[in-house]
C-alpha cells in the first residue's frame, strides 16, 4: 500500500521536497535540541495539562449531563477540588506543624549523635597515623645507625615534627566544607522547588481553562496532521482518551490504598498525628512508580529514630508489609487493570522523563509508555505487521529463549 500511495502521489503532481526544506528542518531540530533545557518546563506543563484534562474529561462529561453546560460542570469540579484541597490542608496543618516543630527540636540531637562517632573515628585515625609515623622514623634511624650513618640518623630524628595546630582544624574545615556543600544543595533544592511550584500553578490554570473549552486545543492538534491521516489520528486520540482516564483512576486508587495502609500501621507504632503525615506522604509518593514507596520510608525512619528503641525495626517491618500488599494485592487487582505495562518499560521511561523534564517528569512516565504503545500499534504494526498477533510474538519469543510452550503462559 505504501508503494501505491507514493506512486499515486507522484502521478497526482506532488513536487518532491527541495534540499532547502530538509536544511530548514535540520536547523529547526538542532535549535530545538540546543534550547531543550529551557523548553522542558514548558513541554512538561503542556503534557501535564493535556493528560490531566483528558483524565478528568469523563467526570466533566458526567457532571455536564446533570447540569447541561460544560463551563458550569468544569467550574463546579474546580471549586470542589479546591475546597477539598483547602479542607485537607487545614485538617493536616496542626499535626504537620507539631511534627515539624518536634523534628526541628530533635535535629541538634541527631547531629550530635552523628558527629560524635565521626570525631572519634578521626581522632583514632590521627593517633594511629602518628604512631605509625613514629615507628617508621625510629626504624629508619636504627637502620642508619646500624650502617654507621650517625648524622643521617640524627637528621631523620630532628625532621620529625609534632603535628601542626592547623591539623587539629582539619575536621572543622571539613565540616565547614560540608556546610557549604549543604548550602549549595539547599539552593539547588530551593530552585527546583520554585520551578515545581511554577509548573504546578501553570498546570492548575491550564487544566482549568482546558476543561472549560477543550475543543480549540484538540482541534489544533488535528490541524498539525495532514488531512489524509485524520482518520488514523482520530483513532489514536480516542484510544488515548480511553487509556489515560484508566491510568488516572488506577493511580488515584493505588495512592489512597497505600496511604490508608501506611496510616493504619503507623498509627499503631508512632501514634495518630505522625501517622497522618506519613500516610499522606506515602499516598502522594505512590504516584511515582516503583521508587515512590521506597522514598516514603525515609521520613518514617527519621521519626522512628527519634522515638528510639525497637521503633525503627517495627517501622521497617510495617513498610515491608505495605510493599507486600502493594505487590500482591493492589498492583495485580487495581493498577494492572488500569495500565498493563511492563515494569522495565516504565523504569526506562522514568529515567528518560527525569533527564528530560526533571523530578516532575516521573508523573508522565507511565502514560507516555501507554501512548507510545498505542502509536506503535496504529502507525507501525498495522502497516508492517498486519497479520502478526500478540500470540505470534510470544511464540517467537519462546523460541528465541529456547522455551517450550509448557514452560510459561
Amino acid at each position: 500500500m505504501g508503494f501505491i500511495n507514493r506512486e499515486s502521489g507522484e502521478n497526482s503532481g506532488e513536487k518532491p521536497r527541495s534540499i532547502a526544506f530538509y536544511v530548514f528542518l535540520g536547523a529547526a531540530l538542532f535549535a530545538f535540541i540546543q534550547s531543550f533545557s529551557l523548553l522542558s518546563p514548558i513541554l512538561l506543563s503542556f503534557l501535564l495539562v493535556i493528560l490531566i484534562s483528558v483524565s478528568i474529561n469523563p467526570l466533566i462529561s458526567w457532571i455536564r449531563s446533570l447540569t447541561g453546560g460544560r463551563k458550569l460542570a468544569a467550574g463546579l469540579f474546580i471549586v470542589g477540588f479546591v475546597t477539598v484541597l483547602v479542607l485537607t490542608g487545614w485538617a493536616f496543618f496542626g499535626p504537620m506543624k507539631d511534627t515539624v516543630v518536634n523534628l526541628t527540636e530533635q535535629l541538634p540531637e541527631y547531629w550530635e549523635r552523628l558527629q560524635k562517632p565521626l570525631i572519634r573515628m578521626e581522632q583514632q585515625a590521627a593517633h594511629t597515623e602518628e604512631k605509625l609515623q613514629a615507628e617508621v622514623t625510629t626504624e629508619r634511624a636504627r637502620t642508619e645507625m646500624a650502617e654507621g650513618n650517625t648524622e643521617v640518623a640524627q637528621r631523620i630524628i630532628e625532621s620529625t615534627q609534632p603535628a601542626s595546630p592547623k591539623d587539629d582544624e582539619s575536621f572543622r574545615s571539613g565540616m565547614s566544607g560540608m556546610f557549604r556543600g549543604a548550602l549549595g544543595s539547599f539552593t539547588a533544592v530551593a530552585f527546583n522547588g520554585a520551578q515545581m511550584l511554577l509548573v504546578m500553578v501553570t498546570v492548575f490554570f491550564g487544566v482549568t481553562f482546558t476543561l472549560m473549552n477543550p475543543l480549540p486545543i484538540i482541534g489544533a492538534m488535528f490541524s498539525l496532521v495532514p488531512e489524509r491521516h485524520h482518520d488514523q489520528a482520530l483513532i489514536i486520540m480516542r484510544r488515548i482518551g480511553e487509556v489515560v482516564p484508566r491510568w488516572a483512576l488506577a493511580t488515584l486508587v493505588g495512592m489512597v490504598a497505600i496511604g490508608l495502609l501506611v496510616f493504619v500501621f503507623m498509627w499503631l507504632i508512632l501514634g495518630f498525628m505522625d501517622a497522618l503525615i506519613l500516610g499522606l506522604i506515602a499516598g502522594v509518593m505512590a504516584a511515582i512508580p516503583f521508587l515512590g514507596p521506597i522514598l516514603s520510608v525515609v521520613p518514617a525512619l527519621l521519626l522512628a529514630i527519634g522515638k528510639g528503641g525497637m521503633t525503627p525495626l517495627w517501622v521497617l517491618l510495617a513498610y515491608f508489609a505495605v510493599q507486600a500488599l502493594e505487590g500482591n494485592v493492589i498492583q495485580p487487582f487495581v493498577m494492572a487493570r488500569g495500565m498493563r505495562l511492563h515494569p522495565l518499560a516504565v523504569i526506562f521511561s522514568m529515567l528518560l522523563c527525569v533527564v528530560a523534564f526533571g523530578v516532575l517528569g516521573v508523573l508522565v512516565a507511565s502514560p507516555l509508555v501507554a501512548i507510545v504503545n498505542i502509536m506503535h500499534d496504529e502507525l507501525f504494526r498495522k502497516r508492517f505487521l498486519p497479520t502478526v498477533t500478540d500470540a505470534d510474538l510470544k511464540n517467537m519469543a519462546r523460541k528465541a529463549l529456547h522455551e517450550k510452550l509448557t514452560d510459561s503462559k
Side-chain angles (χ1 to χ4, degrees):
M1 293 297 293
F3 294 104
I4 297 175
N5 290 335
R6 281 196 294 269
E7 291 175 1
S8 61
E10 293 175 359
N11 294 333
S12 61
E14 288 186 4
K15 295 181 179 180
R17 294 186 175 94
S18 62
I19 298 178
F21 171 80
Y22 293 102
V23 171
F24 176 78
L25 184 62
L29 182 61
F30 178 78
F32 176 78
I33 295 173
Q34 292 296 319
S35 60
F36 186 80
S37 59
L38 299 176
L39 296 176
S40 59
I42 301 175
L43 295 175
L44 177 62
S45 300
F46 181 75
L47 280 174
L48 288 173
V49 168
I50 297 300
L51 290 174
I52 295 174
S53 301
V54 173
S55 302
I56 303 174
N57 186 64
L59 180 59
I60 298 298
S61 299
W62 177 75
I63 299 175
R64 183 181 180 182
S65 65
L66 301 177
T67 59
R70 185 174 186 91
K71 291 185 178 180
L72 179 59
L76 291 175
F77 173 81
I78 295 298
V79 171
F81 174 77
V82 172
T83 302
V84 171
L85 191 64
V86 171
L87 291 178
T88 303
W90 177 76
F92 280 98
F93 177 76
M96 287 178 65
K97 181 180 178 182
D98 295 336
T99 301
V100 170
V101 170
N102 293 334
L103 186 60
T104 304
E105 293 176 353
Q106 293 174 357
L107 279 178
E109 182 181 355
Y110 292 158
W111 176 246
E112 182 180 353
R113 292 169 61 182
L114 178 63
Q115 190 177 10
K116 284 181 179 179
L118 290 176
I119 295 176
R120 190 181 300 113
M121 290 173 61
E122 184 184 14
Q123 290 177 349
Q124 291 177 353
H127 178 70
T128 303
E129 183 179 359
E130 292 176 359
K131 184 178 178 180
L132 291 174
Q133 185 176 3
E135 291 178 356
V136 171
T137 302
T138 303
E139 291 178 0
R140 289 179 59 195
R142 288 177 180 176
T143 302
E144 295 296 337
M145 289 288 292
E147 295 177 355
N149 300 326
T150 307
E151 296 180 358
V152 176
Q154 186 67 26
R155 285 199 300 269
I156 292 175
I157 296 174
E158 292 176 354
S159 64
T160 304
Q161 298 287 339
S164 174
K166 293 183 179 180
D167 295 337
D168 298 334
E169 300 178 359
S170 60
F171 179 75
R172 281 173 287 175
S173 62
M175 298 303 295
S176 63
M178 187 175 67
F179 277 120
R180 287 194 297 269
L183 181 61
S185 301
F186 176 78
T187 304
V189 170
F191 176 78
N192 291 330
Q195 188 177 16
M196 291 181 187
L197 182 61
L198 179 62
V199 170
M200 292 172 63
V201 172
T202 304
V203 169
F204 175 78
F205 286 103
V207 169
T208 301
F209 294 122
T210 303
L211 289 177
M212 290 185 176
N213 188 16
L215 297 181
I217 304 298
I218 305 301
M221 293 181 181
F222 282 108
S223 68
L224 300 175
V225 180
E227 184 177 357
R228 63 181 180 273
H229 299 305
H230 276 184
D231 292 339
Q232 195 171 32
L234 181 59
I235 295 174
I236 294 174
M237 291 296 293
R238 283 181 173 176
R239 290 189 59 182
I240 293 174
E242 294 174 356
V243 169
V244 173
R246 291 204 301 267
W247 157 74
L249 181 60
T251 302
L252 182 61
V253 172
M255 291 170 62
V256 173
I258 294 174
L260 288 177
L261 286 174
V262 171
F263 168 73
V264 171
F265 281 115
M266 293 301 104
W267 189 3
L268 299 175
I269 299 174
L270 299 176
F272 180 79
M273 296 175 68
D274 291 337
L276 281 176
I277 304 301
L278 295 175
L280 179 63
I281 293 174
V284 173
M285 297 298 288
I288 303 175
F290 306 109
L291 296 180
I294 298 175
L295 296 177
S296 63
V297 181
V298 176
L301 282 178
L302 290 177
L303 294 177
I305 292 173
K307 298 287 185 179
M310 297 291 292
T311 307
L313 178 60
W314 293 118
V315 168
L316 283 177
L317 291 176
Y319 271 86
F320 278 129
V322 172
Q323 289 294 314
L325 290 173
E326 179 191 8
N328 295 287
V329 179
I330 299 175
Q331 188 73 25
F333 292 98
V334 177
M335 300 295 289
R337 293 184 180 182
M339 299 284 288
R340 297 179 180 178
L341 304 176
H342 197 281
L344 186 62
V346 177
I347 290 174
F348 277 99
S349 177
M350 288 173 56
L351 295 176
L352 291 174
C353 289
V354 169
V355 172
F357 303 117
V359 179
L360 288 178
V362 296
L363 299 177
V364 299
S366 295
L368 283 184
V369 173
I371 291 173
V372 170
N373 188 32
I374 291 172
M375 297 186 71
H376 174 265
D377 288 342
E378 297 295 333
L379 300 180
F380 185 86
R381 287 192 62 174
K382 286 187 176 181
R383 181 174 180 180
F384 298 102
L385 305 171
T387 60
V388 178
T389 63
D390 292 337
D392 297 332
L393 296 176
K394 289 184 179 179
N395 289 332
M396 286 188 287
R398 290 192 185 98
K399 293 179 181 179
L401 297 174
H402 304 284
E403 291 183 357
K404 296 180 181 179
L405 294 177
T406 57
D407 292 338
S408 61
K409 295 182 180 180

